[in-house]
Amino acid sequence: MVPLNDTDSIIDLIQKDHKVVVVSRHYLGSINHTLLTFEALKNRNIAVAGIIFSGDENQATESIILKKTKVNCIGRIDNEPYFDQNVVQYYADLFRENLLSL
């Protein structure tokens, strides 16, 4: 629901035939924020292909999110100090098999 301007949000850019990958980071309120994201996508009939967790593993939080959403975990992104072409390529290679199976 992040606004792009006075009338549009990121969710408005998603086409109905696209599959979305949700990224969830662990912090206070992250379960609620992640589940609300899934609910907003569901309300617009937007399919979620899977989830990527970002940061340190938190099994309790991840278990709750995966059980509630019934989606597959595609992988985990480490606490990266920055993202450049090399970092993106590293994760693309790491997640390639999981992404191609969606």
Side-chain angles (χ1 to χ4, degrees):
M1 302 305 293
V2 175
L4 296 170
N5 53 43
D6 289 341
T7 57
D8 301 308
S9 298
I10 292 291
I11 199 167
D12 298 317
L13 299 177
I14 303 169
Q15 302 294 312
K16 298 291 184 197
D17 61 335
H18 289 173
K19 290 182 180 178
V20 172
V21 174
V22 172
V23 178
S24 179
R25 186 170 182 83
H26 303 304
Y27 54 87
L28 183 62
S30 66
I31 295 172
N32 184 53
H33 292 160
T34 303
L35 296 180
L36 285 171
T37 297
F38 275 86
E39 187 67 26
L41 293 165
K42 180 181 175 184
N43 286 339
R44 293 195 185 201
N45 296 314
I46 298 171
V48 177
I51 190 166
I52 294 175
F53 291 105
S54 176
D56 297 330
E57 182 178 14
N58 184 318
Q59 287 183 342
T61 296
E62 293 172 23
S63 176
I64 291 168
I65 291 169
L66 292 172
K67 283 179 187 175
K68 292 280 191 183
T69 62
K70 297 179 177 64
V71 298
N72 292 324
C73 178
I74 295 168
R76 171 179 315 288
I77 297 172
D78 294 328
N79 288 314
E80 298 292 344
Y82 61 89
F83 283 90
D84 64 9
Q85 184 176 359
N86 293 327
V87 175
V88 171
Q89 185 64 54
Y90 168 77
Y91 285 108
D93 293 340
L94 185 64
F95 299 156
R96 185 172 318 285
E97 188 173 318
N98 288 340
L99 291 168
L100 290 174
S101 70
L102 299 176

